[in-house]
Amino acid sequence: MAVSDGPLKGVKVLDLSRILAGPTCTQLLGDLGASVIKIENPATGGDDTRQWGPPYVEDADGNRSDLSAYFMSANRNKKSAAIDITTPEGQVEIKRLASHADILIENFKPSGLAKYGLDYKSLADDLPGLVYCSISGYGQTGPNASKPGYDLMAQGYGGIMSLTGDPDGAPMKVGVGIADVMCGMYAAVGILAALRHRDLTGEGQQIDLALVDTQVAWLINEGVNYLTSGSVPERRGNGHPNIVPYEVYETADGHVILAVGNDSQFKRFCAFIEQDALADDPRFTTNPARLENRDALNAVLRPALKNHSTITVISELESRKVPVGPVQTLDQVFSTEQVTARKMQVAMQAQPGEVQLIGNPLNLSRTPVTYRDAPPVFGADTDRVLSAENPFED
């Protein structure tokens, strides 16, 4: 029987982060059952992303709320408290909340909270069990530590833009804030590891996490390709640096993704396009050979695939157990039976009205994720958080 409260029930998170990396982390912890209090600046109207719209949620009368789609993407399962940390009163309140918390997460510039007495060094002596996660652009050390960091800058500095885009075009960022999102995921992993250590020893610690570091970490095979060969990788558009054919191909009425991972799949693919001789051609019989002769092979494959409709390519290759798939727009994505079956779209009741959100992909058989609180309007829980003896209790 599943336990509905989530595996992190009882874990208390004080969230001083904003934008995307930190909020992605704390939403994930909240989905897993943690109690999260999000601190927002009353002088600015809260998290910057509340103003990153349209689109916004509107109430029944058509009035715009401060729930932008961007803000909602990373801020469910949280309470919002408006507290000005620049004031002595606000600093006292944050320290009180931190004394109840297991985790504090912040994404100010390095040393940015020291002047308020809210940095890790200032809190650690009084709160030795606190897990304190600091996210910044370049980390707490190094020559760039004082520089601001944003997702786009991290993608540029960390190299992913040099690998993304058309070979003859400009460097291209990924279409969403992937450096922020991945940093948030690394933060969640680090926090859970630190909690494990705290539970065993009683010792808290600081987690120093940089957008750029995490972006470099997920260069994965292309990063290690460079470290192994010394050759700087080039942009290949949708092509794969180590597998051929493995990219997007045009069909008679659209596009398909072809992902031929081994030689037997390639042979079955050649049979579909009625080019059996390709599988026996020494230039193409193995993946290393196909990689070396990528352009010559694509010169044959591209016109062959354009002779078939998208649905034909997909159905015929699926029947031959050759990896293939569609390139879907978001309206197609969220209308698929697969997305419905996997509960990757969820409806929640927010203060202005019902909102549609992207589901959490984690499926735990005993302690599933829960959707308890819709993204809050700014400061919705301030009074309760300030007055409650235990502010993290619902």
Side-chain angles (χ1 to χ4, degrees):
M1 181 178 177
V3 179
S4 62
D5 291 322
L8 296 184
K9 179 178 173 57
V11 173
K12 301 175 286 293
V13 182
L14 181 58
D15 184 2
L16 273 63
S17 70
R18 66 272 191 211
I19 313 294
L20 189 55
T24 294
C25 171
T26 51
Q27 176 171 272
L28 178 53
L29 299 176
D31 286 355
L32 291 169
S35 297
V36 183
I37 295 177
K38 181 181 181 71
I39 304 303
E40 300 192 70
N41 185 353
T44 62
D47 192 310
D48 299 33
T49 62
R50 289 187 182 276
Q51 305 302 319
W52 290 8
Y56 294 93
V57 175
E58 297 180 349
D59 65 19
D61 297 322
N63 299 311
R64 196 192 89 180
S65 72
D66 63 2
L67 296 181
S68 70
Y70 199 117
F71 175 83
M72 291 195 299
S73 72
N75 285 288
R76 68 169 164 251
N77 284 334
K78 303 177 186 181
K79 308 295 186 184
S80 170
I83 298 176
D84 186 352
I85 68 171
T86 68
T87 66
E89 297 80 10
Q91 293 153 24
V92 168
E93 190 58 41
I94 295 298
K95 290 176 182 178
R96 181 183 78 88
L97 293 172
S99 72
H100 289 279
D102 300 291
I103 301 157
L104 186 153
I105 182 167
E106 56 90 7
N107 63 346
F108 287 76
K109 292 179 182 179
S111 303
L113 289 176
K115 58 187 173 183
Y116 307 127
L118 300 176
D119 59 316
Y120 177 67
K121 184 177 180 180
S122 298
L123 298 179
D125 286 343
D126 291 333
L127 304 172
L130 183 66
V131 173
Y132 190 109
C133 181
S134 298
I135 296 175
S136 59
Y138 293 90
Q140 304 295 306
T141 60
N144 290 351
S146 63
K147 293 184 177 181
Y150 297 92
D151 177 272
L152 182 59
M153 294 179 186
Q155 289 196 42
Y157 193 94
I160 194 65
M161 287 178 65
S162 74
L163 306 176
T164 306
D166 187 272
D168 299 320
M172 187 69 62
K173 74 177 183 69
V174 178
V176 296
I178 188 65
D180 273 333
V181 171
M182 286 300 297
C183 187
M185 290 185 175
Y186 275 105
V189 172
I191 285 169
L192 294 178
L195 278 181
R196 171 67 171 165
H197 176 77
R198 194 281 308 273
D199 290 345
L200 291 174
T201 68
E203 295 177 339
Q205 61 185 296
Q206 184 177 24
I207 301 167
D208 171 9
L209 202 58
L211 282 178
V212 169
D213 291 353
T214 57
Q215 201 270 265
V216 171
W218 55 261
L219 288 172
I220 310 298
N221 58 300
E222 281 284 56
V224 179
N225 284 346
Y226 165 71
L227 294 176
T228 302
S229 69
S231 298
V232 177
E234 60 188 55
R235 290 195 302 281
R236 296 182 177 86
N238 290 310
H240 195 286
N242 301 107
I243 308 172
V244 175
Y246 192 111
E247 60 180 284
V248 175
Y249 290 90
E250 189 175 358
T251 64
D253 59 355
H255 295 84
V256 294
I257 296 169
L258 182 63
V260 175
N262 58 52
D263 299 336
S264 61
Q265 290 174 359
F266 181 66
K267 188 170 185 177
R268 296 195 298 274
F269 167 72
C270 291
F272 162 64
I273 61 172
E274 299 180 343
Q275 296 277 356
D276 297 83
L278 288 177
D280 299 319
D281 188 318
R283 296 175 299 167
F284 313 129
T285 51
T286 67
N287 183 68
R290 293 192 292 275
L291 197 67
E292 185 176 348
N293 296 286
R294 181 195 300 263
D295 292 341
L297 180 58
N298 277 332
V300 178
L301 301 191
R302 294 194 189 284
L305 285 166
K306 285 187 69 174
N307 289 328
H308 303 279
S309 67
T310 300
I311 193 169
T312 297
V313 174
I314 291 175
S315 61
E316 290 292 329
L317 290 182
E318 284 183 341
S319 70
R320 290 169 168 80
K321 300 190 183 306
V322 176
V324 66
V327 180
Q328 298 191 129
T329 54
L330 295 196
D331 58 328
Q332 294 171 320
V333 171
F334 286 104
S335 66
T336 61
E337 293 179 356
Q338 183 68 21
V339 163
T340 300
R342 299 294 292 177
K343 298 181 174 61
M344 287 307 299
Q345 179 177 346
V346 296
M348 299 189 74
Q349 192 63 38
Q351 184 171 319
E354 185 178 86
V355 297
Q356 298 293 325
L357 304 174
I358 298 173
N360 189 306
L362 292 172
N363 288 278
L364 286 74
S365 63
R366 294 285 298 172
T367 53
V369 302
T370 58
Y371 305 110
R372 304 177 307 283
D373 297 308
V377 297
F378 170 63
D381 307 285
T382 304
D383 291 343
R384 191 192 65 78
V385 167
L386 293 179
S387 62
E389 181 177 348
N390 187 344
F392 288 94
E393 288 185 349
D394 290 329

